[in-house]
Amino acid sequence: MSVVVVGLSHRTVPLDLLERMTIDGTRLPKALGDLVGRQFLSEAVILSTCHRVEVYAVAERFHGAVQDIRNFLSELAFVAPEDFSDHLYAYYDEAAASHLFSVAAGLDSVVIGESQILGQVRDAWEQARAEGAAAGQLSALFRHSLEIGKRARSDTGIGRGITSLSQAAVAMARDRLGTLAGARVAVLGAGDMGEGMAAAWTTTAARGELAELAIVNRTWERAVELAERVGGKPVAFEDLRATVAGVDVLLTSTGAPSVVLEESDITGAIRDRADHPLLIVDLGMPRNVDPTVGEVPGVTLLDLADVRGFVEDRLKERRKEAVRVRAIVDEELARYVSSTVARQAAPTVTSLHQRAEEVRARELARFEARLAALEPKERQAVEALTRGIVAKLLHEPTVHLKDAAGSPQGERLSSALRELFDL
């Protein structure tokens, strides 16, 4: 059985299509059950972030598994397969492992070396385990990926500087405004991304730039908790429009399944602002702000695509560290493949040797009466002789099976041995 990954990411698909394919946390349990119930899939992990939607699975057959996952994504998002099939990427076995290791190490993120992706990989795996969707094969893969992600950040400088979308959003806002001194800011959303943006903003303010920070969230308690942690002011969701009317910058990232702010909301909120502009940075996936808001006079609307462009211009030094991280990924990939090969060959090798030992023991038992008169040393010699014959007979098949493990030839050899020796 092979490990496969099938997915869409910020590198392969337009933002408007990617946001339609996103799988929010409330749908994950049912989605995981759906996947492992399909014909060619036996284990599954779903990694769905604002950058990517990926399904990692243990596949009975590669092409059948890819088709199962494509159909799953189509049915879940209500998007026709032909609308996204050309954007899908699919890898299996070593290539699938290499892709996950690169993701966990931060090499495949919008912000190279971002720290948040490592937690997202861990959470995706843990949720799949909790739902009974991830077992031995995927767990070994994901456990190794987390080790690589940690090593990449401890052994290289990939994690220095801007390491998250949250930090990039605030840096981009500062770049657009020229200064954050005295800026009034509202953060819509108190989840991980919202907290990251609020924390990035207060870090900037701590460097000498005064800023007023409002935290808006549908759940009042979460708004209060986050505001207390970052030194901001909690605001009820019902007061969002009035809050927007009084700020310079709105940073938004909620888990809402559809638009939270329509064009009419923004138009009404800034009607009395005269020449005072409003900058909105929308990191929601799906987007929280209607894209037509960007056409409202006095409003600048930026989204994930803009953050990508901003980050690309500032990562020349980070790319030098990425070369070192790539070397770590390659080294760890070789180690993973080696251990996987050993695991794949081990059950057949063990069964073969056990069967041979059973035959040897039965034959000795059959001749027990004739051997009874032997001296202990003579009996030990017979034991050693028969064990040696068995070991020599099994040596070549064992070596060939281990050498070919993990390849089509290995599968054929393993299948032939199991059939020939009734293992």
Side-chain angles (χ1 to χ4, degrees):
M1 291 185 290
S2 298
V3 172
V4 303
V5 56
V6 179
L8 302 158
S9 82
H10 64 96
R11 298 185 186 280
T12 67
V13 67
L15 181 61
D16 59 345
L17 180 54
L18 182 59
E19 68 182 355
R20 294 169 65 190
M21 309 299 293
T22 302
I23 305 170
D24 65 61
T26 60
R27 295 193 293 168
L28 270 179
K30 184 177 180 180
L32 287 165
D34 181 349
L35 278 169
V36 296
R38 302 212 171 212
Q39 181 179 0
F40 296 104
L41 309 176
S42 58
E43 295 183 38
V45 173
I46 297 173
L47 179 60
S48 181
T49 73
C50 55
H51 300 155
R52 69 188 68 252
V53 178
E54 296 178 339
V55 175
Y56 294 82
V58 174
E60 303 293 336
R61 293 183 181 177
F62 174 72
H63 293 293
V66 172
Q67 186 70 24
D68 275 348
I69 295 171
R70 190 187 77 157
N71 292 342
F72 160 79
L73 292 171
S74 174
E75 294 162 14
L76 195 70
F78 301 103
V79 177
E82 57 268 22
D83 288 346
F84 66 88
S85 292
D86 289 344
H87 301 287
L88 279 176
Y89 47 84
Y91 310 113
Y92 70 98
D93 287 341
E94 186 174 336
S98 178
H99 178 73
L100 177 59
F101 293 169
S102 297
V103 169
L107 293 177
D108 198 57
S109 297
V110 172
V111 180
I112 296 176
E114 69 150 312
S115 55
Q116 191 174 23
I117 186 61
L118 194 57
Q120 292 168 332
V121 169
R122 182 189 62 246
D123 292 345
W125 172 41
E126 290 180 348
Q127 176 121 31
R129 290 176 63 199
E131 297 298 329
Q137 202 163 346
L138 280 186
S139 287
L141 175 65
F142 272 78
R143 187 179 295 110
H144 204 137
S145 75
L146 295 179
E147 294 173 3
I148 291 169
K150 293 174 183 176
R151 182 184 168 192
R153 290 164 178 83
S154 64
D155 292 2
T156 75
I158 194 84
R160 299 193 190 113
I162 295 177
T163 59
S164 70
L165 272 180
S166 305
Q167 293 176 353
V170 172
M172 184 172 65
R174 179 177 182 171
D175 188 68
R176 287 298 183 111
L177 294 176
T179 177
L180 300 181
R184 294 165 297 171
V185 184
V187 174
L188 174 58
D192 290 342
M193 190 74 75
E195 181 168 359
M197 289 190 291
W201 194 271
T202 53
T203 299
T204 300
R207 292 172 183 161
E209 294 182 313
L210 301 177
E212 178 183 310
L213 180 63
I215 306 296
V216 187
N217 195 64
R218 286 187 185 276
T219 305
W220 172 250
E221 290 76 15
R222 294 193 66 180
V224 171
E225 290 171 4
L226 178 54
E228 289 177 349
R229 286 199 297 273
V230 300
K233 170 188 174 184
V235 175
F237 186 79
E238 293 75 18
D239 297 327
L240 172 60
R241 182 168 164 174
T243 300
V244 171
V247 299
D248 304 293
V249 181
L250 173 64
L251 305 171
T252 173
S253 178
T254 78
S258 58
V259 166
V260 175
L261 286 169
E262 304 279 356
E263 181 180 350
S264 58
D265 296 320
I266 299 299
T267 302
I270 68 169
R271 184 176 295 119
D272 300 323
R273 292 169 62 102
D275 295 328
H276 194 63
L278 171 64
L279 173 63
I280 302 176
V281 182
D282 182 7
L283 297 188
M285 181 58 71
R287 281 174 282 194
N288 299 152
V289 182
D290 187 332
T292 60
V293 166
E295 301 171 9
V296 175
V299 176
T300 300
L301 175 61
L302 306 174
D303 59 20
L304 279 168
D306 298 297
V307 177
R308 271 205 301 268
F310 175 81
V311 169
E312 281 295 319
D313 292 338
R314 288 158 176 78
L315 289 184
K316 293 180 181 178
E317 288 301 316
R318 190 75 59 82
R319 289 194 183 94
K320 295 179 182 177
E321 294 300 309
V323 173
R324 298 178 60 198
V325 173
R326 174 54 63 189
I328 290 174
V329 169
D330 291 343
E331 175 191 330
E332 292 291 341
L333 179 63
R335 187 164 71 89
Y336 169 78
V337 170
S338 177
S339 64
T340 300
V341 164
R343 285 197 303 272
Q344 290 175 341
T348 301
V349 169
T350 300
S351 296
L352 179 62
H353 283 256
Q354 287 176 342
R355 178 55 55 87
E357 176 59 23
E358 290 168 3
V359 171
R360 188 192 72 85
R362 278 201 306 269
E363 289 303 299
L364 286 177
R366 197 160 64 88
F367 286 92
E368 180 61 31
R370 298 184 185 183
L371 299 174
L374 294 179
E375 295 291 330
K377 287 186 177 180
E378 295 172 328
R379 183 62 180 262
Q380 290 174 4
V382 171
E383 285 281 344
L385 175 65
T386 55
R387 288 182 187 278
I389 292 172
V390 168
K392 288 184 182 298
L393 285 172
L394 296 184
H395 176 71
E396 288 300 324
T398 298
V399 169
H400 284 303
L401 184 59
K402 288 183 175 179
D403 286 345
S407 68
Q409 182 188 16
E411 284 294 321
R412 290 194 298 272
L413 290 174
S414 182
S415 178
L417 284 173
R418 288 194 296 268
E419 184 173 352
L420 289 171
F421 290 92
D422 192 25
L423 302 178

